Amino acid sequence: MYEAIGRPLQLGSLRLKNRIVFAPTTLGLAGPEQEEMLRRIAAGGCALAWIGDVPVEKRGFGSLFSAKGFERYRRLTDALHSEGCLTGAQLHQSDSDLGAMVKFLPALLTRRIGPDELRQKLNEAAGPYITALPAGRVRQITAAFGSAAAQARRAGFDLVQVHGDRMCGSFASPLFNRRTDAYGGSLENRLRFALEAVEAVRAREPDLPIDFKLVVRLENYGRAGLLPGELAVAVPLLEAAGVTSFHVTLANHCALQDTIPPASHPDFGGEGCFLFLCDLVRQHTRLPVCGVGGLTDPDFVERQLAEGRIDCAAMSRQLIADPDWPNKVLTGRAAGVRRCVRCNKGCLGGLMGHKGVHCIFEGGNHK
């Protein structure tokens, strides 16, 4: 019945066993707990699981280049592979100004501001930060994407994703990027950071599939990323740089409730709430396009795949609510799927409360 969901997909040299992907997600969990959650999701039958927020540079928490960090990622890739699931590293460069973070830390610790307000203040500081970065430092960062991709491959990752939001997104947006050098001004210049990052990966790993998290901002939502009218230029340039697939979603640098919308959201409360952005990208590429945004209903997902609207369906909250969604759907047990209700209580709420991502249904899933 769900033939499109179960159909394999070729991504470069990789073959996905079906069309269901665990979206790159900030989990906020300790190592063993994160490993157990991801192993459980892999065992549920998804074809690919992304590990979110893998930093590209050698310093900082979670670095691929430290012995402890490398071993942590190696355990994750081994765990996912043991369950027959491919795994990708979302290569990430933060645009947070550490000086600004230190400045706001006392207010956070004394609860004069909350985590969400801190996030907004850091977003506001991103523009001055990336605008003032010396060009040599910018080139150092983009080159680091290549080194990180090579290290990720050694750690067992099957492919990488260049995170097109955060620093990539800030450079792409004139609302943040006020530079007057080769990295600012025209759209082509503002895209230079992302293009150099992709090119660095392709130069170091010529045959490695490169996904690109393509973030689209709207007039009322998001401040970083690309406007719909800029996609006609951006998508072909990214493809020429070496991108082999696109993961399309709404731009961040705004309220988390917009990019991770609850069912009550006035504009993004429906099933497949961000797939209209995939329609925009489809106009400019024949590469595989992965859609995301409140996907829970097997019939709806099957229809989007069968009609060619998307090539993969990425889920985060749904696979946390019921990791067995793929196995149930593909073995005639779709009626038994525990559908995410998009309440954002245990997942986004847990993350914002510094307790890590969980689910109100946790512990209640059964094969």
Side-chain angles (χ1 to χ4, degrees):
M1 180 178 177
Y2 295 102
E3 293 181 2
I5 292 174
R7 189 176 300 133
L9 175 68
Q10 201 71 27
L11 286 183
S13 59
L14 297 176
R15 183 177 173 85
L16 273 62
K17 63 185 179 182
N18 60 51
R19 303 299 179 99
I20 304 303
V21 172
F22 179 62
T25 304
T26 301
L27 294 173
L29 299 172
E33 194 175 4
Q34 180 190 26
E35 183 178 333
E36 178 56 31
M37 176 177 282
L38 290 168
R39 183 192 293 274
R40 183 69 189 83
I41 288 169
C46 67
L48 166 65
W50 288 105
I51 306 302
D53 301 331
V54 178
V56 300
E57 296 200 284
K58 294 184 178 181
R59 61 179 183 272
F61 175 76
S63 172
L64 277 160
F65 297 91
S66 71
K68 185 176 181 180
F70 183 88
E71 179 57 30
R72 172 173 165 260
Y73 288 119
R74 183 81 232 189
R75 286 198 304 271
L76 288 176
T77 59
D78 285 347
L80 291 164
H81 288 153
S82 73
E83 301 293 349
C85 182
L86 296 175
T87 178
Q90 184 193 57
L91 301 182
H92 162 83
Q93 175 62 29
S94 173
D95 58 1
S96 293
D97 181 353
L98 293 180
M101 188 177 296
V102 171
K103 172 184 170 185
F104 295 124
L105 194 58
L108 179 68
L109 293 175
T110 56
R111 299 187 179 181
R112 284 179 285 140
I113 63 172
D116 201 38
E117 188 177 354
L118 174 63
R119 175 187 172 84
Q120 294 302 317
K121 288 182 179 296
L122 291 177
N123 283 341
E124 292 166 6
Y129 174 61
I130 65 107
T131 297
L133 275 177
R137 173 64 178 139
V138 176
R139 290 190 292 272
Q140 183 183 47
I141 294 170
T142 58
F145 278 82
S147 302
Q151 189 74 346
R153 199 166 200 177
R154 284 192 284 272
F157 286 102
D158 302 294
L159 71 167
V160 298
Q161 179 186 87
V162 172
H163 195 325
D165 210 334
R166 306 322 310 172
M167 190 167 277
C168 278
S170 289
F171 266 89
S173 172
L175 300 180
F176 284 115
N177 184 348
R178 304 289 186 174
R179 301 177 71 99
T180 57
D181 63 359
Y183 292 97
S186 69
L187 174 59
E188 289 82 357
N189 280 358
R190 287 183 278 113
L191 283 169
R192 193 179 303 276
F193 182 96
L195 296 174
E196 286 185 2
V198 173
E199 289 164 352
V201 175
R202 180 55 65 231
R204 287 293 299 267
E205 297 291 338
D207 61 340
L208 186 68
I210 304 174
D211 189 66
F212 189 84
K213 183 177 179 180
L214 183 57
V215 294
V216 184
R217 67 184 176 94
L218 305 176
E219 293 295 343
N220 297 325
Y221 290 106
R223 297 175 62 202
L226 296 160
L227 287 169
E230 296 175 324
L231 295 173
V233 173
V235 171
L237 285 175
L238 288 163
E239 190 170 334
V243 167
T244 51
S245 60
F246 291 99
H247 177 103
V248 183
T249 188
L250 184 71
N252 208 323
H253 289 79
C254 52
L256 282 173
Q257 289 80 4
D258 294 335
T259 52
I260 310 173
S264 60
H265 194 284
D267 293 312
F268 306 125
E271 184 90 14
C273 58
F274 298 144
L275 296 191
F276 73 100
L277 302 174
C278 296
D279 300 336
L280 301 176
V281 174
R282 275 284 195 208
Q283 299 173 27
H284 309 295
T285 186
R286 294 185 178 180
L287 293 179
V289 172
C290 184
V292 68
L295 296 173
T296 68
D297 180 4
D299 292 336
F300 178 86
V301 173
E302 174 71 13
R303 189 162 60 251
Q304 310 313 304
L305 291 166
E307 294 175 355
R309 190 180 189 188
I310 54 175
D311 298 290
C312 295
M315 304 173 181
S316 178
R317 289 173 292 177
Q318 176 55 61
L319 291 183
I320 293 169
D322 189 349
D324 293 309
W325 193 102
N327 282 342
K328 288 177 179 178
V329 169
L330 294 174
T331 57
R333 296 177 290 141
V337 164
R338 186 187 296 279
R339 297 263 295 272
C340 169
V341 297
R342 298 176 66 191
C343 66
N344 280 359
K345 292 181 180 178
C347 50
L348 181 58
L351 188 65
M352 297 303 291
H354 302 288
K355 299 177 182 178
V357 169
H358 295 280
C359 181
I360 59 169
F361 295 138
E362 207 162 85
N365 294 310
H366 303 282
K367 290 187 178 182

